[in-house]
Amino acid sequence: MISFHTNHRLLLVVPVTVFTLLSLGIAWVPAMHQKALHADAEAAPVPAEVARGRAIYQAEGCAFCHTQQVRQDTRRPADAEGRFPPLEQDARYGAPSRPKDYGDQDPPFLGTGRTGPDLQNVGVRLPSADWHYTHLFDPRAVVPRSKMPAYRWYFHGKADRREGDRRVLLPVAAQERLGKGVEVWATPDAQALIAYLLSLKPVEK
Ligand code: HEC
């Protein structure tokens, strides 16, 4: 009889097979099933600028500090459609997330921690592009005690601005903080990132 403990081939093949089967069964098959279940064939294609902004959001690791999932409170009664209300601490972020919110997202940015607020519906809560530009350029110019890093490399000044940059309309307090006459120009990358943030709205239907 072949002993599992002395046959090195078996020792390699068995764990690798078990690992592969478990990965397929626990992760891959359910993921593909969910994807097929919630894919929306009629969804409008994502505009190129939003897709580019999404890639920047991913590359910058915004999801390490920001979730995109509003949690539901299953201890309270569901409404007629079977939807639960949001958890009390999530109520300000909007209606609870549903699987179909992530149907066309690869990868979805559910996130694991909230150093900053949830961004699932940020396009509705904060609809001003200029607010977002100012915040991205200098978070403390609009939220004095913010712990968010400044992403200044997505901006130019008066002297080095290029074609395609867009002038940011700074709020009065931010202008005072940065200095009179200072201009902030959002690069196409900043414009794409903010277009992505403004696209974060509840999926209708
Ligand atoms: C180190 C953690 C951290 C990272 C990384 C980070 N943020 Fe933030 N963010 C915060 C904190 C904390 C706040 C709350 C204070 C504030 O509004 O500045 C915040 C607030 C925000 C807000 C305002 C949300 C609201 O509801 O008020 C937006 C929008 C935002 N961040 C976008 C981004 C984007 C886009 C990136 C990546 C380019 C990013 N953040 C990266 C910590 C972070």
Side-chain angles (χ1 to χ4, degrees):
M1 210 190 97
I2 319 164
S3 164
F4 185 76
H5 301 286
T6 51
N7 186 318
H8 65 271
R9 264 200 204 118
L10 217 55
L11 205 57
L12 180 74
V13 169
V14 171
V16 167
T17 311
V18 171
F19 177 82
T20 309
L21 288 178
L22 281 177
S23 303
L24 287 176
I26 294 172
W28 196 79
V29 172
M32 287 303 134
H33 178 66
Q34 287 295 321
K35 209 170 172 173
L37 209 60
H38 299 292
D40 185 356
E42 284 148 37
V46 178
E49 192 183 34
V50 171
R52 179 170 163 198
R54 191 172 195 277
I56 296 172
Y57 184 92
Q58 179 174 13
E60 287 290 359
C62 310
F64 288 113
C65 283
H66 291 285
T67 53
Q68 285 186 30
Q69 51 171 319
V70 182
R71 297 165 298 175
Q72 56 182 2
D73 189 350
T74 50
R75 297 165 302 180
R76 286 158 61 201
D79 67 10
E81 287 168 36
R83 297 190 67 184
F84 291 97
L87 268 186
E88 207 176 308
Q89 62 267 45
D90 280 21
R92 72 187 177 105
Y93 300 132
S97 311
R98 292 168 296 171
K100 69 163 83 157
D101 294 342
Y102 309 100
D104 58 349
Q105 299 186 12
D106 190 16
F109 299 129
L110 280 86
T112 50
R114 281 185 186 157
T115 304
D118 186 276
L119 298 181
Q120 170 100 3
N121 298 312
V122 77
V124 176
R125 285 191 293 113
L126 295 167
S128 158
D130 285 300
W131 186 92
H132 283 288
Y133 288 131
T134 311
H135 181 253
L136 193 67
F137 177 76
D138 183 5
R140 278 149 296 279
V142 274
V143 184
R145 298 186 60 190
S146 176
K147 289 189 187 71
M148 179 161 142
Y151 291 84
R152 297 220 165 178
W153 49 92
Y154 289 119
F155 297 88
H156 288 139
K158 201 187 319 191
D160 59 351
R161 72 185 166 92
R162 309 204 187 125
E163 203 165 324
D165 288 357
R166 173 190 185 283
R167 176 137 187 218
V168 178
L169 280 174
L170 295 164
V172 176
Q175 184 73 67
E176 272 168 16
R177 177 182 151 96
L178 295 170
K180 230 175 148 188
V182 169
E183 290 182 10
V184 177
W185 290 76
T187 60
D189 276 346
Q191 295 171 37
L193 180 56
I194 301 313
Y196 167 65
L197 289 182
L198 294 179
S199 80
L200 294 175
K201 292 178 180 171
V203 177
E204 303 301 336
K205 281 180 286 174

